[in-house]
Amino acid sequence: MSETEKCTVHEAEIDARNENVLIYVDGELVPRPDAKVSVYDSGFLLGDGVWEGLRLHNGKWAFLDDHLDRLFEAARAIDLDIGADRGGVVEALEKTRLANGMTEDAHARLMVTRGRKIRPFQHPDLSRSGPTMVIIIEHSQPVSALGSRGVRLATVPQVRGLPMSQDPKLNSHSKLNCVLAAIQAEKAGADEALMLDPHGFVNTTNGCNLFIVRKGEVWTSTGDYCMNGITRAKVIALCRANGIPVFEKNYSLVETYGADEMFLTGTFGAQTPVAKLDGRRIGSGELPGPMTQRIQELYKALIAEVTA
Ligand SMILES: Cc1ncc(COP(=O)(O)O)c(C=O)c1O
């Protein structure tokens, strides 16, 4: 992959099997070309729903309890009855996985919306048929070249906002703010967007959490304005358990441009190195940097342990 070729953090190796995966739609398993929800669905009309992205290793969903905790907490926050308990959600996930014969290198997007509305307007009371649950599982492997080329970020004007507008901790279907950030980054010739917090401190990206490494220390934002990423939490815990100094703190773009290493975290890509921010090369340019590599290895070992 060339230095200038566009490659986002969620780019996956092409896999023809994904054209015909079976998708879970409200209890039914439907071939991808036929998997549909109503145009009256609150998710389609309003982005009124919550979702989780999960990854399959060794036939098991990594950090499943953490994902279920976050899903049910988000649903409670938006007053959405998922229509199933934790066991029911796991059953649906497993039914979909088994129907597709997947054991490794698969990624699930589990979505629950407030369901079909009786009229195409905003009020939640208009959703009267119960929730819609859709589970898409694809054969999915991050493109390997990204590990050595790294992603290019551009700082964008869109911020991850204050919790009283739309709490950035909510993994909601309404992602327009992040989509706009991604468009902005693309127009600037980058792959992904670096988003600041409302005070101008470095926060997160449009689809992942962000870490920098400076003089042997690992820094990430305070967590107040970003998604409470499960990978983020695991990286922080791994650093603490392995004697790597890690800080959740405010830091600025100046400290970020001067970082030795930078990487993104997310369920899909685990830890993805960042090559450039706003046209400036980060660190020596050798990717992944030594700390990123150490954390990648610790994370891989953790995944192996929890999915053994
Ligand atoms: C905006 C944003 N930040 C970060 C993440 C990463 O979270 P996780 O590590 O739980 O996948 C996600 C994933 O859904 C996200 O949408």
Coordinates of all heavy atoms in Angstrom, one line a residue, residues 51 67 70 160 171 175 204-209 227 229-232 265-267, ligand 1:
W51 N -26.1 0.3 19.4 CA -25.4 -0.9 18.7 C -24.1 -1.2 19.4 O -23.5 -0.4 20.2 CB -25.2 -0.6 17.2 CG -24.3 0.6 16.9 CD1 -24.6 1.9 16.9 CD2 -22.9 0.5 16.7 NE1 -23.5 2.6 16.6 CE2 -22.4 1.8 16.4 CE3 -21.9 -0.5 16.6 CZ2 -21.1 2.2 16.1 CZ3 -20.6 -0.2 16.3 CH2 -20.2 1.1 16.1
H67 N -19.4 -5.9 26.4 CA -20.3 -5.4 25.3 C -21.8 -5.4 25.8 O -22.5 -4.5 25.5 CB -20.1 -6.2 24.1 CG -18.8 -5.9 23.4 ND1 -18.6 -4.8 22.6 CD2 -17.6 -6.6 23.3 CE1 -17.4 -4.8 22.1 NE2 -16.8 -5.9 22.5
R70 N -22.4 -2.6 28.1 CA -22.6 -1.3 27.5 C -23.8 -1.2 26.7 O -24.5 -0.1 26.6 CB -21.3 -1.0 26.6 CG -21.2 0.4 26.1 CD -19.9 0.6 25.4 NE -19.7 -0.2 24.2 CZ -18.5 -0.2 23.5 NH1 -17.5 0.6 23.8 NH2 -18.4 -0.9 22.4
R160 N -16.4 16.1 19.8 CA -17.2 15.2 20.5 C -17.7 16.1 21.7 O -16.9 16.5 22.5 CB -16.5 14.0 21.0 CG -15.9 13.2 19.9 CD -16.9 12.3 19.2 NE -17.2 11.1 20.0 CZ -18.1 10.2 19.6 NH1 -18.8 10.3 18.4 NH2 -18.4 9.2 20.3
N171 N -23.4 4.7 22.2 CA -23.1 4.1 20.9 C -24.4 4.1 20.1 O -25.0 3.1 19.9 CB -22.5 2.7 21.1 CG -21.5 2.4 20.1 OD1 -21.1 3.2 19.3 ND2 -21.0 1.2 20.2
K175 N -24.9 9.0 14.0 CA -23.5 9.1 13.9 C -23.1 10.3 13.0 O -22.0 10.4 12.5 CB -22.8 7.9 13.4 CG -22.8 6.7 14.3 CD -21.7 6.9 15.3 CE -21.6 5.8 16.3 NZ -20.8 6.1 17.5
T204 N -10.4 12.1 20.6 CA -10.7 10.8 20.0 C -10.7 10.9 18.5 O -10.5 12.0 18.0 CB -12.0 10.4 20.6 OG1 -12.3 9.0 20.3 CG2 -13.2 11.2 20.1
T205 N -11.1 9.8 17.8 CA -11.3 10.0 16.4 C -12.8 9.7 16.1 O -13.5 9.3 17.0 CB -10.4 9.0 15.5 OG1 -10.9 7.7 15.7 CG2 -9.0 9.1 15.9
N206 N -13.2 9.8 14.8 CA -14.6 9.6 14.5 C -15.1 8.2 14.8 O -16.2 7.9 15.0 CB -14.8 9.9 13.0 CG -13.9 9.2 12.1 OD1 -12.7 9.5 12.1 ND2 -14.4 8.3 11.3
G207 N -14.1 7.2 14.8 CA -14.6 5.8 15.0 C -13.8 5.0 16.0 O -14.1 3.8 16.2
C208 N -12.8 5.6 16.6 CA -11.9 4.9 17.5 C -11.4 5.8 18.6 O -11.6 7.0 18.6 CB -10.6 4.4 16.8 SG -10.8 3.1 15.6
N209 N -10.8 5.2 19.7 CA -10.2 6.0 20.7 C -8.7 6.2 20.3 O -8.2 5.5 19.5 CB -10.3 5.3 22.1 CG -11.7 5.3 22.5 OD1 -12.4 4.2 22.7 ND2 -12.3 6.4 22.8
M227 N -16.2 7.9 23.4 CA -16.8 6.6 23.6 C -16.0 5.9 24.7 O -14.8 5.9 24.6 CB -16.7 5.9 22.3 CG -17.2 4.4 22.3 SD -18.9 4.2 22.8 CE -19.6 4.9 21.3
G229 N -14.7 3.2 25.1 CA -14.3 2.1 24.3 C -13.8 0.9 25.2 O -13.0 1.1 26.2
I230 N -14.2 -0.3 24.8 CA -13.8 -1.5 25.6 C -12.3 -1.7 25.3 O -11.6 -2.1 26.2 CB -14.7 -2.7 25.2 CG1 -16.1 -2.4 25.7 CG2 -14.1 -4.0 25.7 CD1 -17.2 -3.3 25.2
T231 N -11.8 -1.5 24.1 CA -10.4 -1.7 23.8 C -9.6 -0.7 24.5 O -8.5 -1.0 25.1 CB -10.2 -1.6 22.3 OG1 -11.3 -2.2 21.6 CG2 -8.9 -2.3 21.8
R232 N -10.1 0.5 24.6 CA -9.4 1.6 25.3 C -9.2 1.1 26.8 O -8.1 1.2 27.3 CB -10.3 2.9 25.3 CG -9.8 4.0 26.1 CD -10.8 5.2 26.1 NE -10.3 6.4 26.7 CZ -10.4 6.7 28.0 NH1 -11.0 5.8 28.8 NH2 -9.9 7.8 28.4
T265 N -7.5 2.8 19.1 CA -8.0 1.5 19.6 C -9.5 1.3 19.2 O -10.2 2.3 19.2 CB -7.9 1.4 21.1 OG1 -8.7 2.4 21.7 CG2 -6.4 1.5 21.6
G266 N -9.8 0.1 18.9 CA -11.2 -0.3 18.6 C -11.3 -1.8 18.5 O -10.3 -2.4 18.2
T267 N -12.5 -2.3 18.7 CA -12.7 -3.7 18.6 C -12.3 -4.3 17.3 O -11.7 -5.4 17.2 CB -14.2 -4.0 18.8 OG1 -14.6 -3.6 20.2 CG2 -14.6 -5.4 18.7
Ligands
LIG1 C1 -16.7 6.8 18.2 C2 -16.1 5.5 18.7 N1 -15.0 5.6 19.5 C3 -14.4 4.4 19.9 C4 -14.9 3.2 19.5 C5 -14.2 1.9 20.0 O1 -14.9 1.2 21.0 P1 -14.5 -0.3 21.2 O2 -13.1 -0.4 21.7 O3 -15.5 -0.7 22.3 O4 -14.8 -1.0 20.0 C6 -16.1 3.1 18.8 C7 -16.6 1.8 18.4 O5 -17.8 1.6 18.4 C8 -16.7 4.3 18.3 O6 -17.8 4.3 17.6

